[in-house]
């Protein structure tokens, strides 16, 4: 426990169990480093590039044809808010790997607009991550990462790359955008891994 | 890499900026220094162990240069906190938190939304409400470094009474050569302002910003809605999205 702040009692206590340092919000705040890109669906693509340089590409129409899942998950942003029970529709990341052969342990998620974030491949498979394109039954709004974003709810939400364009497979871990700017390489909210060294 | 440690800071001095915002001058023993644009995390803890954390941008120049230009030690950090209605942390920090009291903080955090005096591009700062805080740090750092880089601040506030650092900005606009400051009032403009009250428009940015051909480094900061709108206007005006850095403070307000 930290030192007691004189005269502070706190007003936003809740009964739900949140990761350390987080508070509950009903809003859906936005964290991004720059302007919101607008990506037309007819040129949208999702590309996995393996460590050998092999490319696998999916168009929007192909994405829509893949079996999707509806998931309800809690999300935790490093700027301290948590939002419970968010509803998404998307294609599980494992589905893309049915067609991809890779020995890499790490993926760099790459976005339209240049954003990147690194995630271990094991954290993207087995029902832990989706390429999501609907939020609350609506098309995903651009400021929340539409047309499609990664959703990796068990890690801080900056790992859920907005405007996702693909994955670059890596044999060794490399820092992405926020990770280079001092944020944690893994980002587990329950261990409060906000910044490098946490 | 070692962990960013929680430090105990003590409130040395308070400056009321507006009826609802105050600057906290904190002594932070061992403060490692920061870059203009970075923020800290503040943690408040109640007697029963309940705690709350929020982020606050650093307002002071990187070298601890205080607002009024008087020399302040390198262990000083200034934050400016805008009270939000029913806000758990802001209403404490801009309320009962008193001179001499401790508070925990850690930082500096963020290596992206920063301006470095060595950067060679004119700078356009666009502030909505309390979003002016990290941009003020850049303006102060520019002066402290003796930089002559052309700077323009376009500052959107609800009314003249909501402007943070009003006196200092007025003074710096006269004394800091190469710094231009323009105001957009969204609810009520002062008499003789020339621009009717209303939200930031493309015309405002064309008139008071830099043209995209100048390839300025652009920093936009404020509530999410403001930042979204301003960044869209800049992209539509032809600014390269890669030169626009944004910091979003939260849902509404400003
Ligand atoms: C990187 C970063 C830097 C920041 N720098 C500053 C700064 O320099 N100065 C500053 O005053 N704030 C700053 N903020 C915002 C600050 O972190 C808090 O969100 C803000 O003080 C509100 O916290 P609270 O505990 O008082 O309100 P809460 O108890 O969290 O919220 C109470 C109510 O206010 C609403 N609310 C939450 N945040 C805001 C907001 N920003 N504006 C309006 N309404 C809000 C909530 O939706 C809720 O309804 C920054 C945020 C980030 C992410």
């Amino acid at each position: 426990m930290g030192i007691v702040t004189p005269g502070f009692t706190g007003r936003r206590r809740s009964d739900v169990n949140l990761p350390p340092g987080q508070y509950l919000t009903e809003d859906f705040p936005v964290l991004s480093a720059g302007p919101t890109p607008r990506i037309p669906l007819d040129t949208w693509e999702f590309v996995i590039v393996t460590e050998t340089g092999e490319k696998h590409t999916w168009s929007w129409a192909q994405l829509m044809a893949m079996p999707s899942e509806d998931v309800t998950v809690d999300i935790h942003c490093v700027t301290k808010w948590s939002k419970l029970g968010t509803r998404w529709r998307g294609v599980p990341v494992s589905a893309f790997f049915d067609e991809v052969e890779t020995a890499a342990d790490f993926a760099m998620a790459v976005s339209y607009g240049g954003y990147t974030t690194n995630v271990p491949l094991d954290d993207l498979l087995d029902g832990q991550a989706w390429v999501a394109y609907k939020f609350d039954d609506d098309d995903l709004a651009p400021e929340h990462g539409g047309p499609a974003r990664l959703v990796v709810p068990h890690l801080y939400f900056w790992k859920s790359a907005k405007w996702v364009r693909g994955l670059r497979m890596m044999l060794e871990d490399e820092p992405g955008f926020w990770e280079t700017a001092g944020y944690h390489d893994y980002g587990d909210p329950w261990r409060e891994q906000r910044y490098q060294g946490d | 890499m070692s962990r960013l440690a929680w430090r105990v800071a003590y409130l040395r001095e308070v400056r009321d900026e507006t009826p609802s915002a105050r600057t906290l001058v904190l002594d932070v023993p061992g403060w490692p220094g920061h870059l203009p644009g970075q923020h800290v995390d503040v943690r408040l803890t109640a007697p029963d162990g309940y705690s709350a954390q929020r982020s606050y941008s650093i307002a002071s120049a990187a070298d601890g240069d205080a607002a009024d230009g008087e020399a302040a030690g390198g262990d000083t950090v200034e934050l400016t906190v805008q009270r939000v209605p029913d806000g758990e942390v802001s209403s404490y920090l801009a309320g009962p938190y008193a001179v001499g009291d401790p508070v925990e903080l850690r930082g500096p955090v963020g290596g992206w939304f920063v301006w470095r005096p060595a950067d060679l591009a004119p700078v356009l700062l666009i502030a909505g409400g309390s979003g002016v805080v990290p941009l003020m740090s850049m303006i102060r750092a520019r002066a402290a470094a003796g930089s002559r880089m052309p700077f323009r601040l376009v500052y959107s506030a609800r009314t003249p009474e909501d402007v943070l650092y009003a006196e200092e900005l007025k003074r710096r606009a006269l004394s800091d050569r190469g710094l231009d400051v323009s105001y957009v009032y969204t609810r009520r403009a002062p008499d003789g302002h020339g621009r009717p009250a209303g939200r930031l428009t493309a015309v405002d940015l064309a008139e008071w910003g830099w043209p995209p051909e100048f390839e300025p480094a652009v920093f936009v900061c404020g509530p999410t809605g403001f930042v979204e709108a301003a960044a869209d206007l800049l992209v539509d005006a032809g600014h390269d999205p890669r030169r626009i850095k944004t910091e979003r403070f939260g849902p509404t307000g400003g």
Side-chain angles (χ1 to χ4, degrees):
Chain A
M1 168 174 157
I3 60 156
V4 170
T5 319
F8 175 71
T9 48
R11 348 176 144 168
R12 288 170 71 92
R13 292 159 195 272
S14 61
D15 321 330
V16 288
N17 189 21
L18 293 176
Q22 296 293 109
Y23 68 92
L24 207 53
T25 181
E26 299 297 322
D27 307 315
F28 193 167
V30 174
L31 171 72
S32 352
T36 296
R38 304 292 194 286
I39 306 116
L41 296 183
D42 53 347
T43 55
W44 184 91
E45 58 179 17
F46 184 76
V47 184
I48 296 180
V49 184
T50 68
E51 67 281 11
T52 60
E54 204 186 322
K55 267 174 106 170
H56 301 260
T57 305
W58 290 263
S59 67
W60 186 259
Q62 287 170 314
L63 179 77
M64 292 299 114
M66 293 170 81
S68 67
E69 292 179 1
D70 289 310
V71 291
T72 301
V73 294
D74 302 340
I75 55 181
H76 309 289
C77 179
V78 72
T79 62
K80 319 281 164 10
W81 55 266
S82 291
K83 193 171 166 63
L84 305 185
T86 60
R87 295 197 299 123
W88 305 84
R89 175 173 302 164
V91 173
V93 173
S94 343
F96 298 91
F97 282 89
D98 289 346
E99 302 172 30
V100 177
E101 206 166 301
T102 178
D105 286 333
F106 300 93
M108 185 70 82
V110 178
S111 295
Y112 288 93
Y115 180 75
T116 55
T117 187
N118 50 318
V119 188
L121 180 57
D122 276 351
D123 286 83
L124 295 175
L125 304 177
D126 303 327
Q128 298 182 91
W130 295 265
V131 173
Y133 50 84
K134 281 199 185 280
F135 176 76
D136 260 356
D137 302 324
D138 293 324
D139 291 343
L140 186 57
E143 66 266 30
H144 292 306
R149 75 178 297 163
L150 217 52
V151 172
V152 195
H154 69 289
L155 301 178
Y156 278 124
F157 212 43
W158 89 80
K159 295 289 184 182
S160 295
K162 295 185 198 179
W163 316 298
V164 71
R165 180 181 202 160
L167 300 172
R168 179 166 63 78
M169 304 313 300
M170 312 183 290
L171 294 171
E172 281 172 31
D173 202 8
E174 285 172 33
F177 178 85
W178 288 117
E179 295 82 6
T180 304
Y183 287 78
H184 200 275
D185 274 322
Y186 186 63
D188 179 354
W190 295 97
R191 286 186 277 165
E192 207 172 2
Q193 293 172 333
R194 297 180 195 278
Y195 310 123
Q196 293 286 348
D198 274 356
Chain B
M1 209 174 285
S2 67
R3 188 170 196 271
L4 267 181
W6 287 101
R7 298 167 190 275
V8 181
Y10 294 88
L11 184 60
R12 188 201 320 157
E13 187 190 326
V14 164
R15 274 196 304 273
D16 285 323
E17 301 287 352
T18 71
S20 62
R22 70 167 40 155
T23 291
L24 311 175
V25 183
L26 297 162
D27 283 322
V28 194
W31 180 247
H34 59 271
L35 296 168
Q38 290 188 298
H39 66 269
V40 295
D41 284 355
V42 174
R43 177 166 73 183
L44 307 182
T45 303
D48 64 353
Y50 168 83
S51 74
Q53 289 184 31
R54 299 289 185 275
S55 300
Y56 291 95
S57 301
I58 301 170
S60 40
D63 62 352
D65 180 7
D68 47 12
E70 81 187 22
D75 286 350
T76 301
V77 171
E78 294 188 17
L79 310 179
T80 303
V81 179
Q82 173 76 48
R83 209 176 303 128
V84 309
D86 201 30
E88 177 172 50
V89 173
S90 65
S91 53
Y92 174 80
L93 291 176
Y97 185 49
V99 169
D101 284 348
V103 73
E104 285 182 296
L105 59 78
R106 66 173 185 150
V109 179
W112 166 250
F113 192 83
V114 297
W115 177 73
R116 292 177 173 83
D119 293 347
L120 291 180
V123 172
L124 175 57
L125 308 174
I126 301 180
S130 52
V132 73
V133 175
L135 310 182
M136 194 64 193
S137 174
M138 297 180 191
I139 289 173
R140 290 169 171 167
R142 171 184 182 275
S147 163
R148 290 157 62 184
M149 190 54 72
F151 259 50
R152 287 188 161 175
L153 169 66
V154 179
Y155 183 0
S156 167
R158 284 181 180 153
T159 73
E161 291 74 38
D162 291 302
V163 172
L164 304 179
Y165 320 118
E167 285 305 312
E168 184 183 347
L169 281 172
K170 199 190 289 177
R171 175 170 61 73
R172 288 196 183 275
L174 297 172
S175 66
D176 291 14
R177 287 204 286 167
L179 168 69
D180 298 329
V181 182
S182 321
Y183 299 91
V184 169
Y185 299 99
T186 57
R187 301 229 176 128
R188 181 172 50 76
D191 292 342
H193 182 59
R195 179 196 183 278
R199 285 168 185 244
L200 183 75
T201 65
V203 175
D204 297 324
L205 291 176
E207 198 167 337
W208 295 321
W210 299 114
E213 303 77 60
F214 285 25
E215 306 194 339
V218 190
F219 297 88
V220 188
C221 186
T224 297
F226 174 86
V227 171
E228 284 294 316
D232 285 350
L233 290 174
L234 289 160
V235 172
D236 289 346
H239 288 271
D240 184 340
R242 285 169 300 186
R243 273 193 286 273
I244 304 171
K245 298 188 176 186
T246 59
E247 185 94 279
R248 293 157 168 92
F249 272 10
T252 53

